[in-house]
Amino acid sequence: FACDLHVQDIEPMPKRKMMYNQEQVEDSPYEVATFALGCFWGAELAFMRAPGVVGTRVGYTQGIKPFPTYEEVCSGTTQHVEAVMVVYDTRKVTYQELMQLALERLAITSSTFTTNLFQEGDDKSSQYRHGFYYHNPRQLEEAQALLRDNTRFEIELKPATTFYDGDEYHQQYLLKGGQSARKGATESIRCFG
Protein backbone atom coordinates (compact mmCIF):
# COMPACT_ATOMS: atom_id res chain seq x y z
CA PHE A 1 0.00 0.00 0.00
CA ALA A 2 1.13 3.53 -0.72
CA CYS A 3 0.24 6.55 1.36
CA ASP A 4 0.73 10.24 0.78
CA LEU A 5 0.65 11.61 4.33
CA HIS A 6 1.33 15.10 5.57
CA VAL A 7 1.34 15.70 9.34
CA GLN A 8 -0.26 19.07 10.00
CA ASP A 9 -0.10 19.19 13.77
CA ILE A 10 0.83 17.10 16.77
CA GLU A 11 -1.15 17.87 19.89
CA PRO A 12 0.32 17.31 23.36
CA MET A 13 -0.34 14.11 25.29
CA PRO A 14 -2.34 14.61 28.52
CA LYS A 15 0.67 13.81 30.75
CA ARG A 16 -0.69 15.58 33.83
CA LYS A 17 -3.95 13.65 33.55
CA MET A 18 -2.56 10.14 33.95
CA MET A 19 -3.44 9.83 37.66
CA TYR A 20 -6.16 11.48 39.74
CA ASN A 21 -5.75 15.25 39.82
CA GLN A 22 -7.98 17.57 41.89
CA GLU A 23 -7.41 20.43 39.50
CA GLN A 24 -8.82 20.57 36.00
CA VAL A 25 -5.86 20.55 33.63
CA GLU A 26 -6.65 22.29 30.35
CA ASP A 27 -3.39 21.76 28.44
CA SER A 28 -4.84 19.24 26.00
CA PRO A 29 -8.17 18.30 24.42
CA TYR A 30 -7.37 14.72 25.38
CA GLU A 31 -8.47 13.02 28.57
CA VAL A 32 -7.52 9.72 30.17
CA ALA A 33 -9.97 7.15 31.52
CA THR A 34 -9.20 3.86 33.23
CA PHE A 35 -11.60 0.92 33.37
CA ALA A 36 -11.37 -2.61 34.79
CA LEU A 37 -13.87 -4.95 33.15
CA GLY A 38 -12.46 -8.41 33.82
CA CYS A 39 -9.93 -9.69 31.28
CA PHE A 40 -8.41 -6.67 29.58
CA TRP A 41 -8.16 -8.07 26.03
CA GLY A 42 -11.81 -7.78 25.02
CA ALA A 43 -12.27 -4.47 26.82
CA GLU A 44 -9.29 -2.97 25.03
CA LEU A 45 -10.60 -3.98 21.61
CA ALA A 46 -14.03 -2.52 22.39
CA PHE A 47 -12.44 0.83 23.31
CA MET A 48 -10.12 0.73 20.29
CA ARG A 49 -13.23 0.55 18.07
CA ALA A 50 -14.86 3.58 19.69
CA PRO A 51 -14.72 6.78 17.62
CA GLY A 52 -12.78 9.43 19.52
CA VAL A 53 -10.48 6.98 21.28
CA VAL A 54 -6.93 7.77 20.17
CA GLY A 55 -5.00 5.24 22.24
CA THR A 56 -5.27 2.32 24.64
CA ARG A 57 -2.92 0.39 26.89
CA VAL A 58 -3.63 -2.70 28.95
CA GLY A 59 -2.00 -3.11 32.30
CA TYR A 60 -2.43 -3.14 36.04
CA THR A 61 -3.57 -0.60 38.62
CA GLN A 62 -4.89 -0.31 42.18
CA GLY A 63 -2.27 -2.67 43.61
CA ILE A 64 0.45 -2.51 46.23
CA LYS A 65 3.58 -3.63 44.32
CA PRO A 66 5.40 -1.35 41.90
CA PHE A 67 5.94 -2.77 38.39
CA PRO A 68 4.13 -6.08 38.87
CA THR A 69 4.56 -8.91 36.39
CA TYR A 70 1.58 -10.68 34.85
CA GLU A 71 2.38 -13.78 36.88
CA GLU A 72 2.45 -11.77 40.12
CA VAL A 73 -0.89 -10.14 39.30
CA CYS A 74 -2.40 -13.56 38.49
CA SER A 75 -1.22 -14.87 41.86
CA GLY A 76 -3.39 -12.28 43.63
CA THR A 77 -0.57 -11.19 45.92
CA THR A 78 -0.17 -7.69 44.42
CA GLN A 79 -3.88 -6.74 44.66
CA HIS A 80 -3.75 -5.25 41.16
CA VAL A 81 -6.66 -5.33 38.75
CA GLU A 82 -6.35 -5.89 34.99
CA ALA A 83 -7.35 -2.57 33.41
CA VAL A 84 -7.46 -0.59 30.20
CA MET A 85 -6.17 2.96 30.06
CA VAL A 86 -8.02 4.90 27.38
CA VAL A 87 -6.84 8.19 25.89
CA TYR A 88 -9.72 9.95 24.17
CA ASP A 89 -10.47 13.16 22.32
CA THR A 90 -13.14 15.07 24.27
CA ARG A 91 -14.16 16.80 21.05
CA LYS A 92 -15.34 13.45 19.65
CA VAL A 93 -16.41 11.26 22.57
CA THR A 94 -17.48 11.89 26.14
CA TYR A 95 -16.58 10.13 29.36
CA GLN A 96 -20.28 9.29 29.68
CA GLU A 97 -20.16 7.45 26.33
CA LEU A 98 -17.06 5.53 27.39
CA MET A 99 -18.73 4.47 30.65
CA GLN A 100 -21.76 3.28 28.68
CA LEU A 101 -19.46 1.23 26.45
CA ALA A 102 -17.87 -0.26 29.58
CA LEU A 103 -21.30 -1.26 30.92
CA GLU A 104 -22.24 -2.75 27.54
CA ARG A 105 -19.05 -4.81 27.60
CA LEU A 106 -19.85 -6.03 31.12
CA ALA A 107 -23.37 -6.98 29.99
CA ILE A 108 -21.93 -9.12 27.20
CA THR A 109 -19.41 -10.90 29.39
CA SER A 110 -21.68 -11.31 32.43
CA SER A 111 -23.66 -14.04 30.67
CA THR A 112 -20.48 -16.10 30.61
CA PHE A 113 -19.06 -15.22 34.01
CA THR A 114 -20.74 -14.63 37.35
CA THR A 115 -18.76 -11.70 38.65
CA ASN A 116 -18.28 -9.85 41.86
CA LEU A 117 -15.54 -7.58 43.11
CA PHE A 118 -13.18 -10.46 43.75
CA GLN A 119 -13.70 -13.20 41.21
CA GLU A 120 -14.64 -14.03 37.67
CA GLY A 121 -16.10 -17.46 37.01
CA ASP A 122 -14.01 -20.04 38.80
CA ASP A 123 -11.10 -17.62 39.11
CA LYS A 124 -10.73 -16.47 42.72
CA SER A 125 -8.12 -13.82 41.92
CA SER A 126 -8.97 -10.17 42.51
CA GLN A 127 -7.34 -9.23 39.18
CA TYR A 128 -10.72 -9.47 37.42
CA ARG A 129 -12.75 -7.19 39.67
CA HIS A 130 -14.59 -4.35 37.96
CA GLY A 131 -13.75 -0.69 38.44
CA PHE A 132 -14.06 2.81 37.08
CA TYR A 133 -10.95 4.74 38.14
CA TYR A 134 -11.54 8.46 37.78
CA HIS A 135 -8.84 10.96 36.83
CA ASN A 136 -10.59 14.18 37.86
CA PRO A 137 -13.58 15.43 39.89
CA ARG A 138 -15.82 15.64 36.80
CA GLN A 139 -15.25 11.96 35.99
CA LEU A 140 -16.06 11.11 39.62
CA GLU A 141 -19.34 13.03 39.49
CA GLU A 142 -20.36 11.49 36.17
CA ALA A 143 -19.49 7.97 37.35
CA GLN A 144 -21.39 8.41 40.62
CA ALA A 145 -24.46 9.58 38.69
CA LEU A 146 -24.29 6.66 36.25
CA LEU A 147 -23.60 4.00 38.88
CA ARG A 148 -26.14 5.30 41.42
CA ASP A 149 -28.88 3.15 39.90
CA ASN A 150 -26.63 0.27 38.86
CA THR A 151 -27.77 -2.98 40.48
CA ARG A 152 -26.42 -5.37 37.88
CA PHE A 153 -22.66 -5.16 38.38
CA GLU A 154 -20.33 -4.65 41.32
CA ILE A 155 -18.07 -1.82 40.20
CA GLU A 156 -15.56 -0.17 42.49
CA LEU A 157 -15.19 3.58 42.03
CA LYS A 158 -11.77 4.87 43.08
CA PRO A 159 -9.27 7.55 42.08
CA ALA A 160 -6.86 6.51 39.35
CA THR A 161 -3.51 5.45 40.73
CA THR A 162 -0.28 4.48 39.00
CA PHE A 163 -0.95 2.42 35.88
CA TYR A 164 1.66 -0.19 35.01
CA ASP A 165 1.73 -1.31 31.38
CA GLY A 166 1.22 -4.99 30.75
CA ASP A 167 3.78 -6.89 28.69
CA GLU A 168 3.91 -5.97 25.00
CA TYR A 169 2.49 -9.43 24.31
CA HIS A 170 -0.80 -8.34 25.90
CA GLN A 171 -1.08 -4.98 24.10
CA GLN A 172 -3.74 -5.03 21.36
CA TYR A 173 -3.76 -8.81 21.73
CA LEU A 174 -7.02 -9.45 19.87
CA LEU A 175 -6.05 -7.11 17.03
CA LYS A 176 -2.80 -9.07 16.64
CA GLY A 177 -4.95 -12.21 16.52
CA GLY A 178 -6.88 -10.89 13.52
CA GLN A 179 -9.93 -9.17 15.02
CA SER A 180 -10.93 -5.78 13.65
CA ALA A 181 -10.18 -2.60 15.58
CA ARG A 182 -11.69 -0.43 12.85
CA LYS A 183 -13.58 2.54 14.28
CA GLY A 184 -17.25 1.66 14.56
CA ALA A 185 -16.68 -2.07 13.94
CA THR A 186 -19.57 -4.18 15.24
CA GLU A 187 -18.29 -7.73 14.79
CA SER A 188 -18.48 -9.82 17.95
CA ILE A 189 -15.38 -9.69 20.09
CA ARG A 190 -14.21 -13.27 20.48
CA CYS A 191 -12.85 -13.20 24.00
CA PHE A 192 -14.46 -13.59 27.40
CA GLY A 193 -12.80 -10.43 28.74
Side-chain angles (χ1 to χ4, degrees):
F1 296 104
C3 176
D4 186 14
L5 175 69
H6 175 69
V7 176
Q8 294 180 339
D9 188 24
I10 298 176
E11 295 175 316
M13 181 73 179
K15 292 179 185 170
R16 296 190 305 166
K17 299 179 182 181
M18 300 305 261
M19 292 188 3
Y20 179 71
N21 190 334
Q22 269 299 110
E23 301 170 17
Q24 292 290 355
V25 181
E26 302 297 334
D27 63 345
S28 169
Y30 301 105
E31 291 281 336
V32 179
T34 304
F35 299 99
L37 307 174
C39 173
F40 46 36
W41 292 341
E44 181 185 35
L45 185 60
F47 286 117
M48 289 170 66
R49 291 175 171 184
V53 170
V54 298
T56 59
R57 294 295 290 174
V58 298
Y60 318 106
T61 190
Q62 304 297 318
I64 58 173
K65 182 183 185 298
F67 305 101
T69 65
Y70 179 69
E71 292 74 20
E72 290 171 329
V73 171
C74 289
S75 76
T77 60
T78 69
Q79 299 175 16
H80 285 87
V81 61
E82 286 190 17
V84 181
M85 179 179 282
V86 179
V87 178
Y88 63 101
D89 186 337
T90 59
R91 299 167 295 191
K92 297 180 180 176
V93 67
T94 65
Y95 184 63
Q96 182 76 27
E97 291 169 316
L98 295 176
M99 289 189 299
Q100 287 294 341
L101 177 59
L103 291 177
E104 290 168 16
R105 188 75 197 139
L106 285 176
I108 291 168
T109 59
S110 68
S111 64
T112 304
F113 292 109
T114 303
T115 58
N116 66 34
L117 284 176
F118 302 105
Q119 70 184 40
E120 183 166 299
D122 293 329
D123 193 328
K124 304 299 186 227
S125 172
S126 63
Q127 82 191 64
Y128 292 122
R129 67 189 187 269
H130 305 148
F132 289 5
Y133 306 111
Y134 52 90
H135 291 255
N136 57 54
R138 182 189 42 75
Q139 286 184 353
L140 170 61
E141 290 172 17
E142 290 182 21
Q144 286 173 326
L146 179 72
L147 297 177
R148 187 171 296 122
D149 298 323
N150 168 53
T151 57
R152 186 164 182 194
F153 309 108
E154 292 188 50
I155 299 172
E156 60 185 14
L157 184 58
K158 294 182 176 181
T161 59
T162 303
F163 184 92
Y164 298 99
D165 282 349
D167 297 332
E168 192 56 38
Y169 167 81
H170 292 291
Q171 305 301 327
Q172 301 181 353
Y173 181 82
L174 298 179
L175 173 65
K176 293 173 188 172
Q179 294 188 55
S180 175
R182 179 179 39 83
K183 294 297 181 191
T186 58
E187 300 89 353
S188 294
I189 295 175
R190 296 176 308 277
C191 177
F192 295 124

